Amino acid sequence: MTDLTVSISSIKMDNPSMLASGILDETGDSLLRMMSVGAGAVVTKSIGMLPHDGHPNPCIVETADGYVNAMGLPNPGMEEFAEELRVIMPTPAPVIASIYASSAADFATIAVSMEEAGAAGIELNLSCPHASGFGMEVGTDPATVGSIVAAVKDAVKVPVMAKLTPNTAELVRIGKAVEEAGGDAVVAINTLKAMVISPEFARPVLSNRYGGLSGSAIKPVGVRAVYDLYRELEIPIVGVGGICGWRDAAEYIMAGATCFQVGSAVGTVGPEVFTRIIEGLEAFMGEYGYPDLDSMRGAAHE
Amino acid sequence: MTDLTVSISSIKMDNPSMLASGILDETGDSLLRMMSVGAGAVVTKSIGMLPHDGHPNPCIVETADGYVNAMGLPNPGMEEFAEELRVIMPTPAPVIASIYASSAADFATIAVSMEEAGAAGIELNLSCPHASGFGMEVGTDPATVGSIVAAVKDAVKVPVMAKLTPNTAELVRIGKAVEEAGGDAVVAINTLKAMVISPEFARPVLSNRYGGLSGSAIKPVGVRAVYDLYRELEIPIVGVGGICGWRDAAEYIMAGATCFQVGSAVGTVGPEVFTRIIEGLEAFMGEYGYPDLDSMRGAAHE
Amino acid sequence: MSDVVRIKRISQESKDTSTLAFDWGAHTVPGQFIMVWIPGIDEIPMSLSSTGSEKTVTVRKVGDATSAIHALQEGDRIGVRGPYGNGFDLNGLRTLVVGGGVGMAPLMPVLRTVYADLVIGARSADEILFEEEARRYCSNVEISTDDGSLGFHGNAVQLAEAMMDKGDYEQVIACGPEVMLHYLFQACERRGLPCQLSLERYMKCAVGICGSCMLGRERVCIDGPVFDSERLRMLPEFGRSRRDPAGRIVDL
Amino acid sequence: MSDVVRIKRISQESKDTSTLAFDWGAHTVPGQFIMVWIPGIDEIPMSLSSTGSEKTVTVRKVGDATSAIHALQEGDRIGVRGPYGNGFDLNGLRTLVVGGGVGMAPLMPVLRTVYADLVIGARSADEILFEEEARRYCSNVEISTDDGSLGFHGNAVQLAEAMMDKGDYEQVIACGPEVMLHYLFQACERRGLPCQLSLERYMKCAVGICGSCMLGRERVCIDGPVFDSERLRMLPEFGRSRRDPAGRIVDL
Ligand SMILES: Cc1cc2nc3c(=O)[nH]c(=O)nc-3n(C[C@H](O)[C@H](O)[C@H](O)COP(=O)(O)OP(=O)(O)OC[C@H]3O[C@@H](n4cnc5c(N)ncnc54)[C@H](O)[C@@H]3O)c2cc1C
Ligand SMILES: Cc1cc2nc3c(=O)[nH]c(=O)nc-3n(C[C@H](O)[C@H](O)[C@H](O)COP(=O)(O)OP(=O)(O)OC[C@H]3O[C@@H](n4cnc5c(N)ncnc54)[C@H](O)[C@@H]3O)c2cc1C
Ligand SMILES: Cc1cc2nc3c(=O)[nH]c(=O)nc-3n(C[C@H](O)[C@H](O)[C@H](O)COP(=O)(O)O)c2cc1C
Ligand SMILES: Cc1cc2nc3c(=O)[nH]c(=O)nc-3n(C[C@H](O)[C@H](O)[C@H](O)COP(=O)(O)O)c2cc1C
Ligand code: FES
Ligand code: FES
């Protein structure tokens, strides 16, 4: 029997798959739906202090092998979203609240509100590449990252994970800063800073001009990032970027990921992608003699 | 009539397409072949002081939308390659010699040898993501980059372009360093640092473990890089990354590129990709009223 | 599929509604929609009111983006991507089609494909859309206006109910304001008549990942926009509330 | 297409040559090759010696990677990617097939498909490959050995020339050491007989981008490995020089 259970500190999961932040996770019902198709945990849309519409349309472009998006962190705000969570609690799988803010204090405030509403963990969005004053802009400096992680760890009891940007040569240093500040896990990667231009209209397509590239296109970059992090960090790594089948998930786990997240493939494959990945992973582990995830994790490093 | 001619300092081209370094450009005959299918200029394989076998196989992986490669800079060395060039001179299109070295002095030595052999320009490979002591490792520090550019500029009369790595948040600063050191152009982007793992064999596929992602997958990242550079630099920008059709080329030009290079598409589409891109670009420019490349360049910034 | 198309023809359908025609090769089915990009303004969902190789959208002017569309000239270009959504299930059942206002748009490809009776509802006579063309396909076209300026004086649901009671329809296909659709649904439920209703929610990605168009557990952009009775019953929000662009609950 | 396959069966063909069979769904044509990955050792090009849904490669032990392949057991796994290359043009002409040494490998799928006469050449009797199977497909199988231990005493080209002069062949298809192929090509040119020869060069990418396999202006991996007389005439390097992994010119 293959054992797919896994945990990140106190977050216990039936399987290592998580819904990535920003994907069908702005409402309670959508979170429940993703649990029903097999997600081992779900991460919410990144939630801020106040309601926010996000960038005007167009905020997504379909590319050959993924998406370039600049949603601009739309969210109903901490208070209204806490209510969404309260309504669905208790849930069949853990809910991890992704949060964003422009100061350590605000991060802590939102984290507390999410914990109170039932979140089993907090994911700090330190990596959104297309929101000024937030995301990546706070997430490329190791000291700032450390102070945010420390502030949130002080404020809540649930595990705190930090989501990192790949748009830097300093990825591992920032991961170290998370670890040193007491973070429970790092999540890598967020989207790659990107742009799509319309030749006919001679302008960037996205209203925000810049966006973030996700989907299969970025998988080899994400796998590399996780591999790099695993060499230097002790805390668990959650791998994300371009996973759309069990092979991709297996690559991330062998690179060193404890869990993995699926985002774009919910669109390109469909929500059932979770069921398929988990079934495929289980079959692979059975055939290749991995009794559990521990035995497989980091296997590509040997 | 649409005018497709363009120049980078003294390098005059019939059209703005260039063969990217590392693609069918290790022998004189292969360079001639790429000119025959329409490349406006060709960039050679990156040449070092001494012959080098490169990394053992496997050194390439085909991904959904591109390649991950770690050739490891195989090349016959400066002397033998200079001979390849001498044999084919004069050529119907300019040959730009890509060179790599681990010190500014070596860069200058190789550049001189290439100039003497007939190269119309020099491209400094400051960006290969998978060769220790070379490439990206010398190309992520603005001061080092500046000193290499200055040394090569001192040594040769032909234009000198510096090829930048996208694996850094400092891209624009490094571009600035090239400009300040007297570089004639920047080339962006080289491949994204990446890895592919084989689940079945529980190991990275490439013998070098790390490789560089190229092809359609990276186009939105390359376009963004060129857009960023164009905002800050005065010198011309050569765009490269994922171009496989005229639309892609048009995106780069509108982002601010003076010329563009095509690499992976020579494999995925075929060498005729040059003819097709140029024809498509000409038709587009005719239909949308761009008499020449100047009128189109940077159009997405307005 | 994302493209730039050139507007071939513009027809004024009523004082605030126009149809724009363009050639676009994408294969589409009745009930699907596209995202229309008006550079510098917005990108908005629009049902296809023709689904052949010549496509049309029929646009009611209600705000910035739709006004910008109304300002376009023949020969101008727009960005389109899609088609998105599931479309209607054209199953051969005897069908009553009910269109309210610009909700007629996605119903036109249905009427061109299946033989059905039709109710067109609007506030007043000058807002009735596609009557002439519809009469070419349908034996029985009935009109309702809120102000009684044409046809039945009252709303489309009342008229449709009367027709359901007379006729022997096996299903109802409809599009229009959600409140109308909600009453229509209840009328059908009372009669045990299955429905296919095309709904709207605020759309951003249209590809089923952003979650802005959620209606209960359903993504209107990809699981919809057409919902059948079975799914409608599981959607307590239907007819009651929607989400604004920030994801907040707003009463209808 | 990149896959991991499990070796079903290993057959020893001669003292230094074995055939490995595995199931692999890729559609391939006679004359194509694959890249075989032996993790931790190397990845090398190998012709397919069977191109059905069960594929085989026939490997001569000459160095590290081929020795590692010879050390594999049934049930072991290898990585494969491909198929690559153009393959032979099986055009219905009366054909003489000439195989030298392990050059027989890509010719076996040809012999299974077309009706041809065959010359098998090797240094000595115990290095003759596939004779038994070939006799099942070919009316006329002739053997040459350098040491005269079996069949014609001499090289395959001499034997082939004799057969060309007797027979009324319309083309020659061959694979083997390049020096042999070069002489064979000249023999054919003298007789005005078109050839299709499968050549080898050092391969890294196999997808036509790295340039390591250049032969003049041709990429052996994708424009080849099979070249016809017309293209062979344009390749002054053919039979004379090749490139080493660094791209340096090396005499053959
Ligand atoms: C699947 C679908 C099909 C549609 N088909 C048609 C059609 O065929 N003809 C037609 O005239 N209208 C159609 N609409 C409605 C149309 O999208 C809106 O009228 C239009 O977006 C209004 O934009 P505006 O900028 O002019 O108005 P605004 O002033 O910006 O908005 C007016 C109202 O339009 C709606 N709206 C605005 N943006 C969006 C958006 N991105 N997604 C959904 N709703 C939005 C909101 O309810 C808003 O309150 C459809 C909507 C959907 C979801
Ligand atoms: C298209 C093609 C089809 C081939 N088909 C067959 C076949 O069916 N059966 C068979 O036994 N052999 C075949 N070969 C030759 C086979 O690839 C080499 O024998 C093998 O690579 C040797 O590897 P090694 O490590 O054992 O020997 P090494 O000691 O590494 O090398 C011995 C010689 O093999 C050649 N070689 C090594 N690596 C490569 C490489 N990457 N690409 C090309 N040549 C290389 C070189 O000439 C080298 O000098 C084919 C080669 C090509 C190009
Ligand atoms: C439409 C969309 C919205 C996203 N929103 C968020 C977000 O709010 N917070 C966040 O941390 N990441 C967000 N992301 C990034 C994803 O969580 C994920 O890191 C990225 O898409 C790579 O994974 P994928 O290739 O599986 O999509 C978003 C991605 C997409 C495509
Ligand atoms: C097989 C291969 C070899 C390459 N070798 C070099 C090289 O020697 N020097 C260099 O500067 N770039 C090299 N590159 C990078 C390309 O020149 C180019 O920057 C990159 O592939 C992105 O362009 P593309 O998407 O069009 O391939 C190589 C790329 C590939 C795929
Ligand atoms: S509009 Fe994004 S999920 Fe429907
Ligand atoms: S092996 Fe790379 S081009 Fe042929």
Side-chain angles (χ1 to χ4, degrees):
Chain A
M1 275 311 306
T2 308
D3 179 5
L4 284 176
T5 60
V6 68
S7 45
I8 293 194
S9 305
S10 61
I11 308 174
K12 305 224 175 311
M13 297 163 59
D14 287 346
N15 72 63
S17 71
M18 291 181 178
L19 175 68
S21 178
I23 314 293
L24 293 193
D25 50 8
E26 213 179 68
T27 70
D29 272 341
S30 52
L31 293 168
L32 290 173
R33 173 169 177 179
M34 301 315 289
M35 296 176 198
S36 77
V37 290
V42 295
V43 182
T44 71
K45 181 77 201 160
S46 294
I47 302 299
M49 296 286 283
L50 297 173
H52 186 59
D53 281 356
H55 298 308
N57 281 1
C59 51
I60 198 157
V61 184
E62 295 175 74
T63 63
D65 213 14
Y67 302 108
V68 178
N69 91 82
M71 307 308 296
L73 299 170
N75 79 95
M78 167 176 102
E79 281 177 34
E80 189 153 336
F81 194 75
E83 190 51 33
E84 295 266 351
L85 290 189
R86 260 183 226 108
V87 168
I88 60 169
M89 288 296 157
T91 49
V95 176
I96 297 164
S98 170
I99 65 175
Y100 75 94
S102 49
S103 72
D106 286 357
F107 267 108
T109 307
I110 307 170
V112 168
S113 138
M114 293 296 119
E115 181 180 44
E116 284 171 5
I122 301 293
E123 183 178 286
L124 306 173
N125 181 349
L126 305 174
S127 46
C128 182
H130 44 77
S132 11
F134 299 102
M136 186 173 144
E137 295 184 16
V138 298
T140 42
D141 171 48
T144 313
V145 165
S147 70
I148 295 171
V149 171
V152 175
K153 278 300 289 181
D154 266 0
V156 296
K157 288 197 199 59
V158 295
V160 175
M161 347 197 275
K163 186 161 175 191
L164 309 183
T165 174
N167 299 290
T168 167
E170 306 288 319
L171 176 76
V172 174
R173 261 184 65 210
I174 294 166
K176 272 274 175 213
V178 172
E179 181 166 292
E180 280 156 20
D184 297 283
V186 295
V187 183
I189 57 175
N190 211 313
T191 54
L192 298 179
K193 206 173 169 196
M195 180 179 286
V196 177
I197 288 172
S198 163
E200 290 85 355
F201 293 118
R203 61 189 300 150
V205 176
L206 296 172
S207 70
N208 185 55
R209 291 183 296 156
Y210 293 96
L213 177 65
S214 65
S216 304
I218 68 169
K219 190 193 65 179
V221 177
V223 169
R224 189 267 302 163
V226 169
Y227 191 94
D228 280 345
L229 288 165
Y230 187 78
R231 291 168 72 162
E232 303 290 337
L233 299 195
E234 303 290 326
I235 56 176
I237 301 157
V238 179
V240 50
I243 297 176
C244 62
W246 69 264
R247 291 185 67 87
D248 307 320
E251 282 195 64
Y252 273 97
I253 295 167
M254 288 182 167
T258 298
C259 303
F260 59 87
Q261 298 181 345
V262 181
S264 302
V266 171
T268 52
V269 181
E272 320 72 48
V273 68
F274 283 97
T275 324
R276 283 161 58 176
I277 291 175
I278 294 306
E279 282 172 8
L281 197 59
E282 197 165 0
F284 168 77
M285 290 170 69
E287 185 180 348
Y288 282 78
Y290 295 104
D292 52 28
L293 291 161
D294 284 353
S295 60
M296 196 173 153
R297 184 178 319 120
H301 289 263
E302 282 136 38
Chain B
M1 275 312 306
T2 307
D3 178 7
L4 283 177
T5 60
V6 67
S7 46
I8 292 195
S9 303
S10 62
I11 307 173
K12 306 226 173 308
M13 297 163 58
D14 288 345
N15 71 63
S17 72
M18 293 181 176
L19 175 67
S21 178
I23 314 293
L24 294 192
D25 50 7
E26 211 179 69
T27 70
D29 272 341
S30 52
L31 293 169
L32 289 173
R33 174 169 177 179
M34 301 316 289
M35 295 177 199
S36 77
V37 289
V42 296
V43 183
T44 72
K45 182 76 201 160
S46 293
I47 303 297
M49 296 286 281
L50 297 173
H52 186 59
D53 280 356
H55 298 308
N57 282 1
C59 51
I60 198 157
V61 183
E62 295 175 73
T63 63
D65 213 14
Y67 302 109
V68 178
N69 92 82
M71 306 308 297
L73 299 170
N75 78 96
M78 168 175 99
E79 281 178 33
E80 189 151 338
F81 194 75
E83 191 49 35
E84 295 266 351
L85 290 188
R86 260 182 227 110
V87 168
I88 60 168
M89 287 298 156
T91 49
V95 176
I96 296 165
S98 171
I99 65 176
Y100 74 93
S102 49
S103 71
D106 286 357
F107 267 107
T109 306
I110 306 170
V112 167
S113 137
M114 294 296 119
E115 181 180 43
E116 284 171 3
I122 301 293
E123 182 178 286
L124 306 173
N125 180 349
L126 304 174
S127 45
C128 181
H130 44 77
S132 8
F134 300 103
M136 185 174 146
E137 296 183 17
V138 298
T140 42
D141 172 48
T144 313
V145 166
S147 71
I148 294 171
V149 172
V152 176
K153 278 300 289 180
D154 266 1
V156 296
K157 287 195 201 60
V158 294
V160 175
M161 349 197 273
K163 186 161 174 190
L164 308 182
T165 174
N167 299 290
T168 168
E170 306 289 318
L171 176 75
V172 174
R173 261 183 64 209
I174 294 167
K176 273 273 174 212
V178 172
E179 181 166 290
E180 279 155 20
D184 296 282
V186 295
V187 183
I189 56 174
N190 210 314
T191 54
L192 297 179
K193 206 173 167 193
M195 180 179 286
V196 177
I197 289 171
S198 162
E200 290 85 354
F201 293 119
R203 60 189 300 150
V205 176
L206 296 172
S207 70
N208 185 54
R209 292 184 296 157
Y210 293 96
L213 177 64
S214 65
S216 305
I218 68 169
K219 191 194 63 178
V221 177
V223 170
R224 188 268 302 164
V226 169
Y227 191 93
D228 279 346
L229 288 165
Y230 188 76
R231 291 168 74 161
E232 301 290 337
L233 299 194
E234 303 290 326
I235 56 176
I237 302 157
V238 180
V240 50
I243 297 177
C244 62
W246 69 264
R247 291 184 66 88
D248 307 320
E251 282 195 63
Y252 273 97
I253 294 168
M254 288 182 167
T258 298
C259 303
F260 58 88
Q261 299 181 345
V262 181
S264 302
V266 171
T268 51
V269 181
E272 320 72 49
V273 67
F274 282 96
T275 324
R276 283 161 58 176
I277 291 175
I278 293 307
E279 283 172 8
L281 198 58
E282 197 165 0
F284 169 76
M285 291 170 69
E287 186 179 348
Y288 282 77
Y290 294 104
D292 52 28
L293 291 161
D294 284 354
S295 59
M296 195 174 154
R297 185 178 317 121
H301 289 263
E302 284 139 35
Chain C
M1 182 146 114
S2 179
D3 269 300
V4 171
V5 296
R6 201 190 262 269
I7 294 160
K8 279 169 73 175
R9 206 174 53 251
I10 299 177
S11 349
Q12 190 81 25
E13 307 285 357
S14 77
K15 66 175 190 306
D16 62 1
T17 303
S18 301
T19 294
L20 287 73
F22 51 90
D23 289 323
W24 188 44
H27 174 78
T28 60
V29 301
Q32 286 189 306
F33 69 96
I34 59 173
M35 294 297 285
V36 175
W37 179 35
I38 315 100
I41 311 283
D42 203 346
E43 188 194 40
I44 57 172
M46 278 291 145
S47 299
L48 289 166
S49 51
S50 309
T51 51
S53 75
E54 179 184 289
K55 308 279 189 298
T56 61
V57 289
T58 301
V59 183
R60 178 155 177 249
K61 197 200 284 193
V62 299
D64 273 15
T66 46
S67 299
I69 293 179
H70 274 249
L72 293 170
Q73 310 284 316
E74 285 173 13
D76 284 351
R77 291 183 171 93
I78 52 173
V80 294
R81 61 182 175 96
Y84 298 120
N86 55 355
F88 294 103
D89 177 18
L90 301 181
N91 48 23
L93 297 180
R94 280 188 305 278
T95 304
L96 176 65
V97 173
V98 183
V102 75
M104 279 298 289
L107 300 175
M108 289 310 294
V110 174
L111 297 174
R112 289 187 200 105
T113 313
V114 304
Y115 196 71
D117 288 351
L118 172 67
V119 172
I120 313 182
R123 279 172 298 189
S124 70
D126 56 356
E127 292 185 8
I128 291 292
L129 296 180
F130 294 116
E131 181 184 351
E132 198 186 310
E133 192 189 345
R135 289 201 186 277
R136 274 188 263 146
Y137 312 123
C138 308
S139 50
N140 190 5
V141 176
E142 304 275 346
I143 310 279
S144 76
T145 51
D146 297 349
D147 65 1
S149 50
L150 191 71
F152 175 79
H153 187 162
N155 67 47
V157 178
Q158 294 169 313
L159 177 55
E161 289 203 63
M163 290 177 71
M164 288 179 210
D165 292 335
K166 277 191 308 193
D168 57 347
Y169 303 112
E170 293 168 319
Q171 72 174 345
V172 172
I173 284 182
C175 183
E178 190 160 319
V179 173
M180 166 194 128
L181 294 179
H182 189 63
Y183 283 112
L184 185 65
F185 175 60
Q186 291 173 330
C188 290
E189 288 289 274
R190 283 194 298 271
R191 291 167 178 80
L193 209 53
C195 279
Q196 296 183 45
L197 308 182
S198 177
L199 305 181
E200 295 183 3
R201 280 298 178 272
Y202 202 92
M203 289 189 182
K204 294 184 175 185
C205 75
V207 294
I209 57 172
C210 77
S212 82
C213 68
M214 295 306 294
L215 174 62
R217 293 194 183 190
E218 307 275 0
R219 298 167 293 178
V220 173
C221 69
I222 191 166
D223 306 315
V226 177
F227 294 91
D228 61 17
S229 303
E230 212 168 308
R231 289 200 292 165
L232 290 165
R233 278 176 218 128
M234 319 251 284
L235 295 171
E237 294 166 23
F238 167 51
R240 299 222 163 71
S241 67
R242 57 180 182 85
R243 301 272 175 171
D244 73 5
R248 281 175 296 193
I249 298 167
V250 184
D251 286 340
L252 271 188
Chain D
M1 181 146 117
S2 179
D3 269 300
V4 171
V5 298
R6 201 190 262 270
I7 294 160
K8 277 170 75 174
R9 206 174 53 250
I10 299 177
S11 347
Q12 190 80 26
E13 306 287 355
S14 77
K15 68 175 187 307
D16 63 3
T17 303
S18 301
T19 295
L20 287 74
F22 51 91
D23 289 323
W24 188 44
H27 175 79
T28 61
V29 301
Q32 285 189 308
F33 70 95
I34 60 174
M35 294 297 285
V36 175
W37 178 35
I38 315 99
I41 312 282
D42 203 347
E43 187 194 41
I44 57 172
M46 278 291 145
S47 299
L48 289 166
S49 52
S50 308
T51 50
S53 77
E54 179 183 289
K55 308 279 188 295
T56 61
V57 289
T58 300
V59 183
R60 176 153 177 249
K61 196 199 287 193
V62 298
D64 273 14
T66 47
S67 299
I69 293 178
H70 274 251
L72 293 171
Q73 309 285 317
E74 284 173 17
D76 284 350
R77 290 183 172 92
I78 51 173
V80 294
R81 63 181 173 95
Y84 298 119
N86 54 355
F88 294 103
D89 177 17
L90 301 181
N91 46 23
L93 297 179
R94 280 187 307 277
T95 304
L96 177 65
V97 172
V98 183
V102 76
M104 280 298 289
L107 300 174
M108 290 310 293
V110 175
L111 298 173
R112 290 186 200 106
T113 313
V114 304
Y115 196 72
D117 287 350
L118 173 67
V119 173
I120 313 182
R123 280 172 299 191
S124 70
D126 55 356
E127 291 184 9
I128 291 291
L129 296 180
F130 294 115
E131 180 184 351
E132 199 185 310
E133 192 189 343
R135 288 199 187 278
R136 275 188 263 146
Y137 312 123
C138 309
S139 50
N140 189 5
V141 175
E142 303 275 346
I143 310 281
S144 76
T145 52
D146 297 349
D147 65 2
S149 50
L150 190 72
F152 176 79
H153 186 161
N155 67 47
V157 178
Q158 295 168 314
L159 176 55
E161 290 204 63
M163 289 177 71
M164 288 180 212
D165 292 334
K166 275 191 309 194
D168 57 347
Y169 303 112
E170 292 167 319
Q171 74 174 342
V172 172
I173 284 182
C175 182
E178 190 159 320
V179 173
M180 165 193 129
L181 294 179
H182 189 63
Y183 283 113
L184 184 65
F185 175 59
Q186 290 172 328
C188 290
E189 288 290 273
R190 282 194 299 273
R191 290 168 179 82
L193 209 54
C195 279
Q196 295 183 44
L197 307 182
S198 176
L199 305 181
E200 295 184 3
R201 280 299 177 270
Y202 202 90
M203 289 190 182
K204 293 183 175 184
C205 74
V207 295
I209 56 172
C210 76
S212 82
C213 67
M214 295 307 295
L215 174 61
R217 293 194 182 190
E218 307 275 1
R219 298 167 294 178
V220 173
C221 68
I222 192 166
D223 306 316
V226 177
F227 294 90
D228 61 18
S229 303
E230 212 169 309
R231 288 201 292 164
L232 290 164
R233 278 176 218 128
M234 318 250 286
L235 294 172
E237 295 166 20
F238 166 51
R240 299 221 162 73
S241 67
R242 58 180 182 85
R243 301 272 175 170
D244 73 4
R248 281 175 297 193
I249 298 167
V250 184
D251 287 339
L252 271 188

